[in-house]
Amino acid sequence: MSQLKIAAVLLISIVLQLSLRAVWKPLAYIDFPLVVVVYIALQRDAWQALVVGTLAGLIVDAQSGGLIGAGGFSKTLTAYIIFFGATKVNLENPLLRIPVLAAATVVDSAIYVFLHRLLGYPPGVTLMQTISYKLIATTVVGTLVLYMLDSVMSGESSQRRQFATRRRVARRSTGPLRRR
Amino acid sequence: MAVDARDANGQQKILRIWTQTFASPLQSASSKVSGATGGFFQQIWNFRGTAAENEQLKERLAQAERDLHAARLSEAENERLKSLLGLNEKSEVQSIPARVIARDPSVWFNTITINRGSSAGVAVNMPVVTGGGIVGRVITVSPWASQVMLITDEKAGAGAVVGQLGQSGALGSVRGRADLGVGVIEMRYVSGLEQVELGDYVMTTGQDGIYPPGLTVGKVVDVKKGSATQAHQILIQPGAQLDHLEEVAVLLYHPPQRSTPQQTLQNAEKPKDR
């Protein structure tokens, strides 16, 4: 069931990414597949995050004028970095997701552009301007989308957050006892 | 680790063709919906200046009719002169109308997707134009859709001349530049000795083997004059409205085949096989 939900969410994010630029150009700066990748990576499910990152990147690459595989690679690597971070540090706090999403956008864009430059295929837009726009758009909209994904994907993540809160409360209450 | 599987001809990437085949109906539908919604609100907005616009349009129509009459006279005269010279009128390049159904989803590149593919006779490297001028060339073809690289892309280019082909020696090539955006393209290699003025029209020369000669590229909006040893630095505003493309035409143009240059010198001795 969980896999089906992820597949559906991924499909919707890709459809949005492919269609929204025709409606209004600035909407293309929102990287919907990346938001989904970040969400799944934050759930600490490495395989799902990597597979989703690869698929999302490859499909968007196939529709864009760039190198096929560059986006797949950048999203996969971004997913792994976030997963790795999430296993070391508790990133479940909703406020912490905002800098995580911003960092993911910058890392993803940097890897994407680096790969293109490395293979002699530089993007046809100004680098800093595009990264800045992507950073703002993806972080602002992505934060809202992450909240929506929380409610859609239901139980697991909220359960995990509840357990984390309970653990924290338990630690606080048992802390002085331990000291004694 | 780029996925680089290509078709039998080695020109196109298979993954791109497949994705385009499946995504094109979806993109076509979303494009129609967004177009209809946008059009409705645009119409409401447009009511404000309708009367003034109507007057302007009437004046422009009268002017256009006068121009059309003059053009017809010129065409007739041209025909007569050509027949006198015994020149054969070349057949016009056939075109396929197409609708823009999507733009590059990654924002890093300047490509568009149109709703005509190999089933309509579109092939790789065919030129895409609008009434205003050239748009770009086809880079990927699937059965029902094609991807077009805009002329503003850094990797796009076209042979061009400032002024009329045959009358001007200001030959060069146009290409996009990342720092200029989609509104302006650059023309390079024009001799500094040639006369180039703001507002001059730039046309294709046909030397690139993609665009037929005589198509409008755009007009000159900025010139940094060169010298005898330095080329002009020319910026051109594309004639086609590349930011607001909705309908385009794919030209079924097959450039004339060039003969392969002879690689060996005629008098050179060939090595004997031992």
Side-chain angles (χ1 to χ4, degrees):
Chain A
M1 189 62 189
S2 156
Q3 271 84 3
L4 272 179
K5 276 184 185 173
I6 289 171
V9 166
L10 179 65
L11 191 68
I12 292 169
S13 73
I14 290 168
V15 169
L16 286 174
Q17 193 67 33
L18 297 185
S19 322
L20 282 182
R21 190 170 179 182
V23 179
W24 192 39
K25 191 185 167 188
L27 291 176
Y29 288 108
I30 308 164
D31 199 336
F32 288 101
L34 182 69
V35 177
V36 176
V37 169
V38 168
Y39 179 80
I40 294 165
L42 283 175
Q43 307 304 309
R44 292 180 288 227
D45 193 333
W47 277 109
Q48 271 183 3
L50 296 183
V51 170
V52 165
T54 310
L55 275 178
L58 275 178
I59 295 172
V60 174
D61 279 348
Q63 282 291 294
S64 94
L67 293 170
I68 295 179
F73 183 76
S74 68
K75 283 196 173 46
T76 310
L77 200 56
T78 309
Y80 183 74
I81 292 168
I82 294 169
F83 161 76
F84 188 75
T87 53
K88 301 286 175 196
V89 187
N90 181 17
L91 298 174
E92 288 289 336
N93 187 336
L95 277 178
L96 270 179
R97 290 170 171 187
I98 299 170
V100 169
L101 197 54
T105 311
V106 174
V107 169
D108 176 60
S109 301
I111 297 169
Y112 185 81
V113 173
F114 172 73
L115 271 178
H116 277 87
R117 284 190 184 274
L118 189 73
L119 298 171
Y121 206 81
V125 291
T126 41
L127 182 67
M128 291 314 291
Q129 188 187 346
T130 309
I131 289 186
S132 309
Y133 287 166
K134 276 196 83 161
L135 177 65
I136 295 165
T138 308
T139 310
V140 172
V141 179
T143 307
L144 301 174
V145 174
L146 284 179
Y147 274 108
M148 283 168 64
L149 285 175
D150 257 348
S151 57
V152 172
M153 305 299 264
S154 74
E156 287 180 28
S157 59
S158 57
Q159 252 180 11
R160 195 174 293 141
R161 265 202 306 282
Q162 280 171 4
F163 285 139
T165 316
R166 278 182 210 163
R167 272 201 301 275
R168 230 177 292 140
V169 172
R171 252 182 249 140
R172 259 183 233 149
S173 56
T174 56
L177 290 174
R178 276 183 188 169
R179 258 179 249 145
R180 280 174 209 167
Chain B
M1 199 176 69
V3 176
D4 198 29
R6 289 166 188 264
D7 66 353
N9 299 327
Q11 287 190 318
Q12 299 193 73
K13 289 174 181 167
I14 294 168
L15 181 62
R16 187 160 280 163
I17 298 170
W18 287 350
T19 320
Q20 216 169 64
T21 306
F22 290 113
S24 60
L26 198 73
Q27 289 173 324
S28 188
S30 73
S31 169
K32 278 178 189 164
V33 171
S34 69
T37 318
F40 174 72
F41 288 110
Q42 190 67 41
Q43 274 185 345
I44 294 173
W45 181 257
N46 285 348
F47 276 132
R48 300 175 68 199
T50 309
E53 198 180 346
N54 193 24
E55 286 304 314
Q56 281 179 355
L57 286 174
K58 277 179 183 170
E59 279 178 29
R60 284 174 61 182
L61 181 63
Q63 180 64 39
E65 278 175 345
R66 284 195 293 275
D67 291 347
L68 182 65
H69 182 64
R72 279 181 181 153
L73 286 175
S74 302
E75 193 182 359
E77 187 184 28
N78 193 16
E79 288 293 326
R80 286 199 305 276
L81 291 170
K82 273 183 182 173
S83 63
L84 279 173
L85 288 168
L87 294 172
N88 291 325
E89 177 65 36
K90 285 183 183 173
S91 61
E92 288 283 317
V93 179
Q94 284 191 327
S95 63
I96 305 168
R99 197 160 176 277
V100 177
I101 55 172
R103 285 176 170 273
D104 197 307
S106 75
V107 304
W108 294 106
F109 295 93
N110 294 317
T111 60
I112 55 170
T113 307
I114 56 173
N115 68 343
R116 290 281 184 270
S118 55
S119 60
V122 178
V124 173
N125 277 341
M126 280 185 171
V128 178
V129 299
T130 65
I134 61 170
V135 170
R137 69 181 173 93
V138 175
I139 53 169
T140 313
V141 182
S142 62
W144 307 296
S146 305
Q147 198 172 29
V148 178
M149 180 191 282
L150 298 186
I151 192 70
T152 49
D153 198 288
E154 275 203 333
K155 289 166 290 300
V161 61
V162 181
Q164 287 297 321
L165 189 62
Q167 294 171 2
S168 165
L171 292 160
S173 72
V174 292
R175 54 167 272 189
R177 242 173 61 183
D179 55 323
L180 296 175
V182 291
V184 184
I185 52 178
E186 182 188 32
M187 185 167 183
R188 303 199 298 176
Y189 312 125
V190 176
S191 165
L193 299 172
E194 294 293 336
Q195 193 69 27
V196 178
E197 299 296 337
L198 289 180
D200 282 354
Y201 276 87
V202 179
M203 317 292 277
T204 54
T205 57
Q207 289 174 330
D208 46 55
I210 292 171
Y211 301 96
L215 295 178
T216 307
V217 177
K219 65 178 178 182
V220 177
V221 288
D222 186 42
V223 188
K224 279 184 188 158
K225 298 282 183 187
S227 62
T229 55
Q230 198 178 11
H232 289 304
Q233 289 180 1
I234 303 171
L235 297 183
I236 299 164
Q237 183 183 28
Q241 296 274 319
L242 298 177
D243 257 348
H244 310 286
L245 285 173
E246 284 182 14
E247 281 93 23
V248 294
V250 183
L251 299 182
L252 302 178
Y253 175 68
H254 300 283
Q257 293 293 318
R258 290 176 186 172
S259 57
T260 329
Q262 198 173 356
Q263 297 292 321
T264 54
L265 294 171
Q266 283 179 349
N267 296 329
E269 282 185 30
K270 288 179 183 175
K272 291 173 185 173
D273 294 330
R274 289 176 184 174

